[in-house]
Amino acid sequence: MTLISYIDISLYIKYCQDMFIQHEVISNKKLNDKFNLIRLSVKKRSFNFRPGQFITLKVTDSVFRCYSISSSPDILPFWQMFVDITPGGPGTSYIKQLTKGDTIETSLPTGEFVYKKDGSKNIILAGTGCGIAPLLPILQASLKDNRINKILLLWGLRFKKDIVLESYLKQITKKYAKFHYEIILSRPEEKWAGNTGHIQKYIVKNTKILLPMETSVYLSGNGEF
């Protein structure tokens, strides 16, 4: 067993604190009862990231939570988080009360779930709930990649009232002929005329249509998904 002295722990905590970066809250927009979109600005230090990476948010001195970056590196020093605020834990409670002008602290971006130029001609981005967050910057990167012929975004939600960002997705559809998106509801109301059930079958179906050997699939969601 290794014994760590009090002074060692203090130095370690100071080291961790020094690794965190401050950001200013530009806006904290409640999109509906489920999702918030938080726009931030890096205050001083460098904050580069690859599409798909995440940060660790300092909630308190002893509580930390991980959130994906939902914006493209192209808009830095501004960046965004798309967060499900319904769990009610320390992280979401902290995020819900953030207002314009507040300062938050995060780690540097990290993670290997990133956009990769692997020679694929087609891309399927499939996410459930706020799992769409890291897929949005990956989408932006793939739209600019001239080697990609088709991009399909599959987004699984429970209810029709959970749907947000659709105007944004429609704008991309009009601008890029190679992009298409589908929303799948697992608990739809009777008037819903779109896709229903679980997202997995739509992933398999479209992978076969686009040809598996030419298609990369990015999956993001909860553990069950």
Side-chain angles (χ1 to χ4, degrees):
M1 177 181 290
T2 301
L3 298 177
I4 302 176
S5 67
Y6 173 77
I7 189 169
D8 290 336
I9 294 174
S10 298
L11 289 172
Y12 177 72
I13 292 174
K14 185 179 186 302
Y15 170 77
C16 290
Q17 295 284 11
D18 290 341
M19 295 298 291
F20 275 67
I21 301 170
Q22 290 189 336
H23 311 264
E24 180 181 352
V25 176
I26 303 302
S27 63
N28 186 2
K29 186 176 181 181
K30 183 178 180 181
L31 302 179
N32 58 13
D33 290 336
K34 186 174 179 64
F35 299 117
N36 272 31
L37 183 65
I38 303 94
R39 185 175 176 85
L40 303 121
S41 176
V42 185
K43 281 197 168 183
K44 292 183 180 179
R45 291 175 57 182
S46 174
F47 188 76
N48 297 318
F49 64 90
R50 298 165 67 190
Q53 289 191 308
F54 67 92
I55 52 87
T56 299
L57 173 66
K58 180 181 177 182
V59 179
T60 70
D61 288 339
S62 59
V63 178
F64 304 89
R65 292 293 184 269
C66 297
Y67 295 100
S68 293
I69 300 171
S70 65
S71 54
S72 168
D74 294 342
I75 69 169
L76 284 170
F78 301 101
W79 62 285
Q80 297 181 160
M81 292 189 297
F82 178 77
V83 179
D84 183 346
I85 57 172
T86 59
T92 51
S93 297
Y94 175 77
I95 286 175
K96 285 170 67 175
Q97 56 83 37
L98 291 174
T99 58
K100 182 179 180 180
D102 286 348
T103 296
I104 68 166
E105 294 184 74
T106 77
S107 68
L108 288 169
T110 188
E112 294 302 317
F113 181 72
V114 295
Y115 180 62
K116 297 178 180 178
K117 297 180 179 181
D118 56 9
S120 297
K121 296 180 180 179
N122 311 305
I123 289 179
I124 294 177
L125 308 171
T128 56
C130 65
I132 194 177
L135 299 179
L136 294 174
I138 292 175
L139 168 60
Q140 287 295 331
S142 61
L143 288 170
K144 293 182 293 184
D145 191 339
N146 294 327
R147 296 171 298 181
I148 303 299
N149 295 328
K150 293 184 179 180
I151 306 167
L152 173 64
L153 173 66
L154 299 172
W155 191 11
L157 296 165
R158 288 185 178 181
F159 308 106
K160 185 177 180 180
K161 65 180 181 179
D162 295 337
I163 299 174
V164 293
L165 304 179
E166 194 161 25
S167 59
Y168 169 71
L169 296 175
K170 286 180 178 179
Q171 287 176 4
I172 300 176
T173 303
K174 291 179 180 179
K175 187 175 180 179
Y176 295 92
K178 64 180 179 179
F179 174 67
H180 177 67
Y181 76 93
E182 297 179 14
I183 295 175
I184 301 100
L185 299 185
S186 60
R187 300 181 186 178
E189 293 83 350
E190 291 182 3
K191 295 182 180 179
W192 173 252
N195 295 322
T196 61
H198 293 290
I199 190 174
Q200 288 89 330
K201 67 177 181 181
Y202 295 94
I203 297 170
V204 174
K205 171 186 173 183
N206 285 284
T207 302
K208 290 180 179 179
I209 293 172
L210 294 175
L211 302 179
M213 296 300 293
E214 298 181 356
T215 305
S216 288
V217 181
Y218 293 79
L219 305 178
S220 177
N222 60 34
E224 292 181 3
F225 167 59

